[in-house]
Amino acid sequence: MNVNGVRTLGLLGAGALMLLAGGGVTAVGAGAPGLDTRTFTRISCNEKHTAKGGSVWHCFGMTAAQIEAAEEQERQAREDALRGSYPDPEPVPRTRLTFVDHDGRQDPAEVTATRVGSRWIAHAPGVVGTGAALLAVGAGLAAAGVVRLRAATRSPAEQR
């Protein structure tokens, strides 16, 4: 296989990978069926300044099950206080949310997010836009690979 054949296969492979990545990012950003998707409330976001002079938002939220667990824990703590025992309750953990669409003035009321591994990715226009850009680049690379492949497989008589 010559160098042009390797480049053509490289374009096709890169295009296919970009299409897969773009489809995955778009599916996560829009909450495709079949993915673990939940709605979070009681959102609190904190702005953190980075070493490079920028800032990033760290947002946390609670699902309905987490809210119920926290309320049950509070009820149990009140009952224990009436009995005279004061155990140290463990705080109900809040879930960290990534790519929350935050305007910098007020925290959102609720956020819908999809789990990817151990992270929760919020449904946001920026995530969907990134997926769409990956899809466009992947389609362009794949199309360029197909054009090169077709040109390489034509016989010399067809090329005239």
Side-chain angles (χ1 to χ4, degrees), residues 89-114:
E90 294 281 327
V92 175
R94 297 170 61 84
T95 302
R96 173 128 192 247
L97 304 168
T98 307
F99 301 122
V100 172
D101 204 14
H102 197 283
D103 66 2
R105 292 184 295 262
Q106 62 185 22
D107 297 336
E110 72 177 30
V111 170
T112 303
T114 299

Side-chain angles (χ1 to χ4, degrees), residues 14 18 22-23 43 52 54 63 65-66 68-69 78 80 104 116 118 122 126-127 144:
M18 295 290 274
I43 308 296
K52 294 182 179 181
T63 62
Q66 289 172 317
E68 287 176 22
R78 283 192 303 272
D80 289 345
V116 178
S118 63
V127 177

Side-chain angles (χ1 to χ4, degrees), residues 33-44:
L35 297 176
D36 187 10
T37 301
R38 298 193 184 149
T39 300
F40 294 85
T41 57
R42 297 187 183 179
I43 308 296
S44 63

Side-chain angles (χ1 to χ4, degrees), residues 148-160:
R148 287 181 66 120
L149 184 62
R150 286 186 50 98
T153 59
R154 278 196 253 156
S155 67
E158 292 175 342
Q159 292 179 358
R160 289 184 211 164

